[in-house]
Amino acid sequence: MKILIIDEMHESIMPLLQKEGHEVEYCPEITREEIVATVAEYDGLIIRSKTPMDRELLEKATNLKFIGRAGAGLDKIDLEYMAERGIKLFHAAKGNRDAVAEHAVGMLLALFNNVKNADQEVRKGVWDREGNRGHELMGKTVGIMGFGNMGKSFAHRLRGFHVNILAYDKYKLDFADDFVQEVMWEKLKAEADILSIHVPLTPETKNFFTLKELQSFAKPFWLINTARGEVVSFKTLNEALDQGILRGALLDVLENEKFQKFTPEQKAEFEKLAARDNVLFSPHVAGWTFESYEKINKVLAKRIKKAYTAC
């Protein structure tokens, strides 16, 4: 097949696909206009998240057989129209699930042990042991919202910490094991000391975490979000932190990740968040390790091969 790669990928993607006899064009700098003009020539597209795969673009892709998504999020893809057209979708959540899980655990440990503040103080010659006294994970109840690739991998990483793990997934059942208890949302909210979000961005999850929803948790808790920033706004996070509903927040994703396009309200609320010692940020890199960069390619190539070898 003739395949167009429209985003930056690990260099291994070309030989992996060419080995199966595919003709591959690597064009990470291509513009949306150029994609629309030429997409009819291709059987497959390999994408990240730069260019939305909306109906306008897909209607031009008259020969398209599949889209390979180098990552997990599918919110920029018109899945309904793809299904109508019979276009296959391959995504590589298995390629970066371990990276996401490790990053979430790392951020949690860093916050619990005041690593950022302690490091900055020691560099300045301040030796404040009491002021940097931390918390232990052991004995805490960790709630996981969404038990797909990311949520399951996060739970797996926590097993050595002797925590209680409660998991809720609206669309998945019978996934409990010796370490993970499958619960309803209300039970998770009643018991969680920590909540880690692992859900996709959909109309249902967008702004799901309103202040009212956060107030319905039984006790103050720490929030980890390595999924999609749009599930909770800056304003809601600040209100929950001000009211003591949240004990802290770990944010790898933001409701708006383009600082130059912040609304005035977003700018003010983000600056307030950024001034807090109990909030840690990272720039949407939870799944972006040197290892996952290559693993994603292997997952995609394997899925494409399996689908078309079977045919």
Side-chain angles (χ1 to χ4, degrees), residues 230-245:
E230 295 93 332
V231 303
V232 58
S233 70
F234 297 150
K235 186 174 188 295
T236 297
L237 287 167
N238 276 317
E239 289 173 338
L241 287 159
D242 284 342
Q243 294 181 26
I245 297 164

Side-chain angles (χ1 to χ4, degrees), residues 13-60:
I13 191 65
M14 296 286 286
L16 282 169
L17 295 172
Q18 289 168 339
K19 184 175 70 173
E20 301 303 322
H22 303 301
E23 179 186 344
V24 187
E25 293 185 23
Y26 183 64
C27 303
E29 303 299 326
I30 194 170
T31 65
R32 177 181 173 87
E33 291 72 23
E34 290 169 334
I35 297 168
V36 169
T38 60
V39 71
E41 302 173 19
Y42 298 95
D43 303 292
L45 290 176
I46 304 290
I47 69 170
R48 286 195 181 277
S49 56
K50 176 181 71 178
T51 303
M53 294 292 110
D54 51 31
R55 189 179 185 117
E56 178 189 26
L57 187 151
L58 293 173
E59 283 178 341
K60 303 291 185 182

Side-chain angles (χ1 to χ4, degrees), residues 212-230:
K212 182 178 180 181
E213 186 65 37
L214 295 176
Q215 287 171 333
S216 66
F217 280 70
K219 52 187 173 180
F221 65 99
W222 288 273
L223 177 73
I224 308 170
N225 189 5
T226 56
R228 284 293 182 263
E230 295 93 332

